[in-house]
Amino acid sequence: RTAGRSLNAALAITLSALFLLIPANFLPLLKVNIFGVHHQSVLASGIWGVAEQGWPLVAIILGAELLALPLLRFTTLGIVLLELYAGRNPHWLGKMFRWSEQIDQWAMLDVFLIGFGIGYERVAPFLPIDVGIGGWCVIVLAFLTMVTRATLERREIWRRIGPTYESISPEIPHIGCAFCGLPAPAHDEGKDCLRCGTKVWRYQPNATMRTLALTLAGFFCYPFAYIYPMEYNYQLGRLQGYTIMTGVMKLVDAHFLFFAVIIFCASIVIPFLKLFMLSWFFISIHHRSTKLLRIKTHAYRIIKAIGRWSHVDVFTVTVFLPLMHLSGLLAVYVGYALPAFLAVVILTMIATDAFDPRVLWAEYERIN
C-alpha cells in the first residue's frame, strides 16, 4: 500500500524549488550596517570567504552541499517525476531516481536553514541586520526541500518504474536489492538490479572493513574538532577563539537556549553517537553476536538519518563570516577545528553509507 502521498504534489513542489534556486543563489542573503558601512552577502559569500582564508577543500565541500547538489537533486527528481507524469518509462529512469535519492542526503539546504537562523541570532543583538530577498528564498526553499522529502512516495515511484514484485517467481531463492528492495535471483548476485541499476549482493563485499577504516579516521579527527577553536573573532585589536563548547556556552549566556541545545546535540552528541554506534556494530560482527539485532538495526537507521544535521555549526560560521568584517576593527576567521569537525561529519556519513546492516544478521541466519 502507498501512504496516500501524491506524485503530482511532489512534482509541483520540485518545480517550485527549481525556480527558487535562482534568486536564492544570486540575490542578497543578509544585509548588515557596521558604523555606516553596508555589507551584504549571498549564499556563496561564506563559502568564498572560507576559501580566501586558506581552506579551499572545505569551501569545495560546502559549495557542493549548498550550491551544486541541491540543483542536481531537484533537477534529477524533476526529470523522473515529469517522465512518470507523461506516462513514459525510459530504461534509465530507475538509475536517475537512485542518483536523486543518493544526492538527497548530501544536499544540505534544509540543514543550512538552522545554521542560518543561529547565525542571524548571533549577529542581530549587536548589529542592525536584515534578511534579503535571497534569504527569504533560501528559507522557503529549505522548507520545500523538507516537504518534498515528506510528500514523495518512493514505493509508488519504484512500482511505476518497474519491474514489480508480481513479476518475480517465488519458486527460486532470491536476494533483495539493498537500495530499491527488488528481489533478484540468488544466482544473479553481483549483477545490476533490474530496477535501480545498483549491484545486488547478499552482503556488500568488504563493507565492514571500509566502515572500520572510515570510523577510525573519524576517531582520529574527533579530538582536534573539540580542542581547537571553530572560529576566531577579531574585535578592536583583540583576537578571541571559540571552541564548539564555548560557542554553546555563549548561546546560553545570550539566553538562546533553544539554539544552544541544537548546537550541543548536532555538534557534540550526534558525532559521538555515530562513532560509538559504528564501533558497536563492528565489535558485534567481529564476535558474531546475535544479541539485540533489532535494536542495532534501528540504531543504524537513526544514525543514518540524523548524521547530516551535524553540519549546523559549520553553516553557522559561513553565515556570519562575510558580514562581520570591518578593516582593522572587526573580522571572523575560520579556526582549525572547523575542517577537522567537517572531516568527522563527512567521514561518519560515508562510513554509515558504506556499512551493510544485513551483515549484523549473518550469524543469526547461519545458525538458524
Side-chain angles (χ1 to χ4, degrees):
R1 297 178 181 177
T2 66
R5 299 166 181 167
S6 170
L7 295 186
N8 291 342
L11 174 59
I13 295 169
T14 300
L15 296 179
S16 300
L18 276 172
F19 175 78
L20 280 174
L21 278 170
I22 299 172
N25 283 324
F26 296 104
L27 294 181
L29 189 72
L30 291 169
K31 302 175 182 178
V32 67
N33 185 347
I34 306 176
F35 304 122
V37 179
H38 297 276
H39 289 291
Q40 66 180 27
S41 65
V42 294
L43 191 58
S45 297
I47 300 168
W48 182 252
V50 171
E52 285 187 324
Q53 292 186 15
W55 303 102
L57 182 57
V58 174
I60 290 171
I61 294 172
L62 296 177
E65 292 175 343
L66 295 178
L67 303 177
L69 293 180
L71 175 62
L72 194 57
R73 153 69 172 171
F74 284 116
T75 300
T76 52
L77 179 60
I79 291 172
V80 170
L81 295 176
L82 282 171
E83 290 289 333
L84 293 178
Y85 180 79
R88 295 189 294 266
N89 189 1
H91 65 90
W92 45 263
L93 202 61
K95 289 184 179 179
M96 180 163 287
F97 186 55
R98 171 169 62 88
W99 295 337
S100 175
E101 289 293 280
Q102 289 171 331
I103 292 168
D104 182 40
Q105 67 168 330
W106 295 96
M108 300 284 182
L109 283 175
D110 50 343
V111 183
F112 179 78
L113 178 62
I114 307 298
F116 180 78
I118 297 173
Y120 176 87
E121 290 296 338
R122 286 187 61 176
V123 177
F126 311 104
L127 299 170
I129 185 170
D130 296 307
V131 179
I133 297 176
W136 290 111
C137 289
V138 167
I139 293 171
V140 175
L141 190 56
F143 278 108
L144 288 181
T145 300
M146 292 183 279
V147 172
T148 303
R149 194 176 294 120
T151 58
L152 197 63
E153 179 47 70
R154 293 162 181 82
R155 292 168 297 179
E156 178 61 21
I157 293 176
W158 286 125
R159 287 189 183 99
R160 294 195 184 189
I161 292 174
T164 59
Y165 299 118
E166 289 77 9
S167 63
I168 306 298
S169 171
E171 299 176 357
I172 58 175
H174 288 83
I175 53 179
C177 173
F179 193 87
C180 71
L182 183 71
H187 57 76
D188 284 346
E189 184 174 7
K191 296 182 179 180
D192 292 342
C193 173
L194 296 177
R195 188 158 65 179
C196 70
T198 192
K199 297 289 183 183
V200 178
W201 300 98
R202 185 172 183 82
Y203 303 113
Q204 192 72 24
N206 303 316
T208 305
M209 295 307 297
R210 287 198 298 269
T211 302
L212 175 62
L214 291 163
T215 303
L216 291 175
F219 270 116
F220 175 79
C221 297
Y222 189 84
F224 299 102
Y226 297 93
I227 293 173
Y228 291 103
M230 280 285 286
E231 63 184 86
Y232 292 94
N233 288 354
Y234 178 84
Q235 296 181 15
L236 301 175
R238 183 185 176 189
L239 188 66
Q240 185 174 4
Y242 293 94
T243 64
I244 292 176
M245 197 61 211
T246 55
V248 172
M249 296 308 299
K250 188 177 179 181
L251 288 170
V252 172
D253 293 339
H255 304 292
F256 295 135
L257 296 180
F258 176 72
F259 290 129
V261 170
I262 290 177
I263 291 293
F264 180 79
C265 292
S267 300
I268 297 176
V269 176
I270 292 177
F272 176 79
L273 183 66
K274 289 168 67 179
L275 291 170
F276 172 79
M277 288 296 180
L278 290 170
S279 302
W280 183 32
F281 299 158
F282 179 78
I283 293 170
S284 299
I285 293 168
H286 180 72
H287 290 286
R288 298 183 177 180
S289 172
T290 57
K291 298 178 180 179
L292 305 175
L293 292 178
R294 289 181 181 271
I295 293 176
K296 293 171 187 174
T297 306
H298 286 302
Y300 169 77
R301 293 173 180 168
I302 290 171
I303 64 172
K304 187 171 183 179
I306 66 176
R308 59 199 300 271
W309 293 91
S310 294
H311 280 78
V312 167
D313 211 359
V314 177
F315 291 153
T316 300
V317 176
T318 62
V319 167
F320 63 76
L321 183 148
L323 297 174
M324 305 287 284
H325 179 74
L326 190 62
S327 182
L329 297 177
L330 181 67
V332 174
Y333 301 102
V334 174
Y336 291 108
L338 191 145
F341 179 76
L342 184 61
V344 173
V345 177
I346 297 295
L347 287 169
T348 51
M349 286 182 67
I350 298 174
T352 307
D353 282 342
F355 183 71
D356 187 350
R358 296 174 297 183
V359 179
L360 291 168
W361 295 80
E363 184 64 18
Y364 177 85
E365 291 185 359
R366 189 186 69 83
I367 63 178
N368 288 279

